[in-house]
Amino acid sequence: MDTMGSFSSRGQRLESGEAQIFSQWLPLRSWDTTEPPLKLARVAEPAPESAEGPAKEAERASEARAQPQDGGGKKAPEAEQQQATPSEAEVPQGPAGTVTVLSMAGREMAVCTPVPANVAALKAAIEAQTGCPPALQRLVEQEGTRMFDRDEEALPQEDLELLMVIDETPMFSWDHKGNPGNAMLEIDGSVVKCPNLTTDYVNVLTREPMRSGVHYYQFIMHHIGDEQWCGVSADPEQAGPRYSGRYLKAWTYYCGRMRSSSASIVDGTGCLHAKGRAVKEFKKLKPSGDVIGMLVDLDRAAIAFELNGELQGACAIPKDTPLWVLTHVDTPRDHVELVKLSLQDAPQESIEGLSGALLEITGGTPLRSQFACEDANRLG
């Protein structure tokens, strides 16, 4: 596990009711240069009557009016001082603020100055510095009492220290909202069923792809009504009921046809189906209870499949390409559960298979006759 840490959908999460409520931070108000400061007028007390009499007072007032103002008509220094206001350069400015993002082990992951306006902008800045997609970022105040999980939430414009946890849940949760055939699907996190299936099939992809590293998955096949494909796809547009399993731009374990005794690797027995070709025979699955293991190394660009812990084969996958986990439901009774496990759970045979000789997929049998001449154009 990365030193940043990770947790799944079953991991811990801060509950809002447990979080400490903080007082809101208010920015300092700057000087108002458009209006003079408000002053309270002082009511003058009546001056005592001069002993010299009214005539003498009038004479002194006349002499004062006859004298020129100080500086040849300039305003008195006191009056000028009262009307002066601070220039824009003199207005005190608040601190720019810095967000420091740390891993769970305390390692500095990203530094953002000034503080971004909201959580979405901060996550985008973190992605630019770390490569971690916003969907996998979980940001928690260092004290662990507040979670920044709403993209539109405004950030306080002051120094912040946050902890970042990588949450891989979207990488093994099926995407219901973005699937064009979602009305036919029942999805609960990593479990997909299709009791309302009205088309021949629906391809289902995860919410987020794998982008780098090594990942180990298991497909728990609770029920296979006819035929299914389980693997990875480079094209998220293939989600939904538009593409048959034999037209997928994908690298998959074909389960075989449950109601067929044919030995055909195209539509009978189990097989590695990759980029429109049936490459090598794999063991055929039973209608329920089997587990397909899938070890994916994006840095080495290789994938290995196993059935119930027994390696079936490994082949190359594209480099520097995001890959979504995929399954293909085919009947209303189909039921698939996806699990993402630690690399320590992967069979040693599969790990060694990734570094050994990989199956050559270009020489396989075309899944459909037109693929013989179209696969280079259609699948890239």
Side-chain angles (χ1 to χ4, degrees):
M1 180 170 63
D2 191 277
T3 54
M4 287 182 281
S6 64
F7 58 82
S8 70
S9 56
R10 298 176 181 174
Q12 276 190 323
R13 179 178 175 85
L14 291 174
E15 297 295 338
S16 58
E18 298 175 357
Q20 179 181 355
I21 305 300
F22 292 90
S23 58
Q24 290 184 339
W25 180 88
L26 298 176
L28 294 174
R29 183 178 179 180
S30 60
W31 288 94
D32 186 349
T33 59
T34 59
E35 297 181 4
L38 179 65
K39 293 191 175 185
L40 298 177
R42 183 178 178 182
V43 179
E45 298 179 0
E49 186 175 348
S50 173
E52 298 177 350
K56 191 65 175 177
E57 290 290 339
E59 180 180 349
R60 288 183 177 177
S62 176
E63 291 176 356
R65 288 193 298 270
Q67 294 179 357
Q69 294 182 353
D70 183 51
K74 293 183 180 179
K75 295 180 181 179
E78 292 183 0
E80 185 176 0
Q81 185 176 359
Q82 290 178 359
Q83 296 183 15
T85 57
S87 66
E88 184 176 347
E90 296 172 343
V91 174
Q93 302 292 324
T98 297
V99 179
T100 304
V101 181
L102 307 173
S103 71
M104 295 297 291
R107 182 164 59 95
E108 186 177 284
M109 304 301 302
V111 176
C112 303
T113 304
V115 176
N118 54 34
V119 173
L122 173 60
K123 288 185 174 183
I126 293 173
E127 181 183 23
Q129 295 185 44
T130 67
C132 181
L136 306 186
Q137 298 176 26
R138 296 294 178 265
L139 302 176
V140 185
E141 205 166 39
Q142 192 171 26
E143 291 78 6
T145 55
R146 180 181 178 187
M147 197 169 203
F148 295 88
D149 55 358
R150 292 185 297 107
D151 287 349
E152 69 279 6
E153 180 179 356
L155 295 174
Q157 299 299 298
E158 60 184 1
D159 289 341
L160 294 172
E161 280 197 355
L162 304 180
L163 299 178
M164 184 172 78
V165 180
I166 295 180
D167 178 11
E168 294 186 336
T169 303
M171 293 170 58
F172 60 89
S173 297
W174 301 116
D175 182 12
H176 183 268
K177 182 179 180 181
N179 194 303
N182 57 18
M184 297 179 281
L185 302 173
E186 285 187 3
I187 290 177
D188 183 9
S190 62
V191 177
V192 58
K193 301 178 182 179
C194 52
N196 303 316
L197 188 67
T198 57
T199 59
D200 193 13
Y201 44 76
V202 177
N203 297 313
V204 188
L205 276 63
T206 49
R207 288 161 48 196
E208 282 290 316
M210 298 171 283
R211 294 177 172 84
S212 63
V214 186
H215 307 269
Y216 180 57
Y217 292 88
Q218 287 183 347
F219 299 85
I220 302 175
M221 311 306 290
H222 293 287
H223 186 79
I224 307 172
D226 184 14
E227 58 180 351
Q228 284 196 22
W229 287 260
C230 297
V232 297
S233 172
D235 184 4
E237 296 299 319
Q238 293 194 325
R242 294 170 293 185
Y243 294 89
S244 161
R246 295 176 178 82
Y247 279 96
L248 291 172
K249 183 178 182 180
W251 296 258
T252 64
Y253 192 132
Y254 172 60
C255 299
R257 279 195 181 274
M258 299 300 104
R259 295 172 290 183
S260 172
S261 58
S262 171
S264 169
I265 60 174
V266 173
D267 64 353
T269 188
C271 185
L272 171 63
H273 284 188
K275 295 186 66 175
R277 291 181 177 272
V279 179
K280 177 184 180 292
E281 181 177 347
F282 285 177
K283 283 188 174 181
K284 184 176 180 178
L285 276 72
K286 300 186 297 291
S288 63
D290 284 329
V291 176
I292 296 174
M294 181 176 73
L295 182 61
V296 187
D297 189 338
L298 282 90
D299 301 326
R300 186 175 288 171
I303 187 171
F305 291 102
E306 32 136 319
L307 180 62
N308 301 323
E310 181 183 348
L311 179 66
Q312 300 297 302
C315 70
I317 54 176
K319 290 184 177 181
D320 303 320
T321 302
L323 295 175
W324 284 259
V325 179
L326 167 144
T327 193
H328 173 103
V329 290
D330 190 69
T331 73
R333 295 184 61 197
D334 286 355
H335 178 185
V336 182
E337 180 179 357
L338 180 65
V339 180
K340 191 175 192 297
L341 300 172
S342 167
L343 294 180
Q344 296 176 349
D345 297 314
Q348 185 62 32
E349 191 179 12
S350 294
I351 296 173
E352 294 173 355
L354 292 179
S355 58
L358 302 177
L359 296 172
E360 177 56 58
I361 65 175
T362 58
T365 303
L367 294 177
R368 295 179 69 91
S369 59
Q370 59 264 45
F371 271 29
C373 59
E374 291 181 1
D375 58 345
N377 296 328
R378 177 184 287 275
L379 300 174

